[in-house]
Amino acid sequence: GAGVSQTPSNKVTEKGKYVELRCDPISGHTALYWYRQSLGQGPEFLIYFQGTGAADDSGLPNDRFFAVRPEGSVSTLKIQRTERGDSAVYLCASSLLPSGATLESEQFFGPGTRLTVL
Amino acid sequence: KNEVEQSPQNLTAQEGEFITINCSYSVGISALHWLQQHPGGGIVSLFMLSSGKKKHGRLIATINIQEKHSSLHITASHPRDSAVYICAVSPTDKLIFGTGTRLQVFP
């Protein structure tokens, strides 16, 4: 079956612009996660959705970052007034259930969106 | 101090060698994950474990909950194993990642 997909694969924008990054999770997965990975680093947690609601948004760096998942499937990460420091690979992952010790909570990752802010 | 520490950061090996990557963590967890990331590629989950040992092909993952330590072993390494291997833990609903171990296996 189809895995997690993310669009666009690459996005180049200018400082100060607004961008939207899209994630299509695996069908039926209730949990959806956004992570950010800077060059040479491990991914960092941004936000987690359980269904339509943001269950944990403690990783969002500031109020320029916002994410939605209005129908409990596709999610959009929105970044306002982009800064050069926002340049990174933005990863999305989904799981059947929230993270835990069961097979159903294994996270499946998308290919990522590489964001470059000039 | 990071909550998840991996060692070594970089590792080179000759084809056929036995490889060990270590992960230590400082938080209580429900599960530990080993992930593989190829250059320019996405992340693939290799193992998710909460106790004991798991084996898949040439890969073996072990965890010691009391010592808060896990190891990933690769037997009979091959150049196609070259990738970044990332340890991540899930104390609650999100993953906390280590910085990864970059493995290069030469023929």
Side-chain angles (χ1 to χ4, degrees):
Chain A
V4 178
S5 62
Q6 292 186 245
T7 54
S9 56
N10 281 283
K11 176 69 177 178
V12 180
T13 191
E14 293 179 343
K15 181 175 178 296
K17 299 290 188 183
Y18 168 82
V19 296
E20 288 189 352
L21 312 179
R22 176 187 168 108
C23 173
D24 278 88
I26 292 173
S27 178
H29 280 196
T30 62
L32 185 147
Y33 306 81
W34 282 100
Y35 300 97
R36 178 169 71 173
Q37 186 174 25
S38 300
L39 193 63
Q41 301 295 315
E44 293 178 310
F45 170 78
L46 294 176
I47 186 170
Y48 150 60
F49 287 90
Q50 178 56 31
T52 60
D56 184 347
D57 64 357
S58 62
L60 294 178
N62 51 59
D63 61 6
R64 295 186 298 104
F65 288 75
F66 189 70
V68 295
R69 195 186 185 198
E71 297 178 359
S73 56
V74 172
S75 177
T76 305
L77 178 65
K78 308 180 181 192
I79 310 174
Q80 299 177 317
R81 305 183 303 281
T82 52
E83 299 178 356
R84 292 194 180 87
D86 299 334
S87 297
V89 175
Y90 289 81
L91 296 163
C92 176
S94 70
S95 68
L96 190 59
L97 294 175
S99 188
T102 65
L103 282 175
E104 290 78 11
S105 56
E106 179 183 358
Q107 293 190 22
F108 295 83
F109 287 81
T113 293
R114 182 176 298 278
L115 175 66
T116 303
V117 182
L118 301 176
Chain B
K1 187 179 189 297
N2 293 335
E3 292 167 299
V4 181
E5 299 273 359
Q6 283 185 241
S7 63
Q9 288 186 308
N10 292 282
L11 183 56
T12 58
Q14 288 296 126
E15 183 173 358
E17 285 185 4
F18 180 83
I19 288 162
T20 296
I21 300 170
N22 295 298
C23 175
S24 296
Y25 54 93
S26 58
V27 295
I29 66 170
S30 57
L32 182 141
H33 306 247
W34 281 102
L35 310 163
Q36 181 191 57
Q37 186 172 34
H38 282 280
I43 292 176
V44 174
S45 177
L46 299 175
F47 294 104
M48 183 176 69
L49 65 166
S50 56
S51 64
K53 174 180 173 178
K54 285 190 176 181
K55 184 175 189 292
H56 185 251
R58 294 181 295 106
L59 273 59
I60 303 166
T62 64
I63 187 169
N64 184 318
I65 295 293
Q66 287 73 29
E67 295 187 3
K68 295 187 175 179
H69 181 269
S70 175
S71 293
L72 176 68
H73 306 285
I74 306 175
T75 62
S77 58
H78 190 276
R80 65 174 174 265
D81 297 327
S82 299
V84 175
Y85 292 83
I86 303 173
C87 171
V89 299
S90 49
T92 54
D93 47 39
K94 62 194 180 194
L95 291 180
I96 302 173
F97 297 81
T99 54
T101 294
R102 182 174 301 277
L103 170 66
Q104 288 184 293
V105 182
F106 294 98

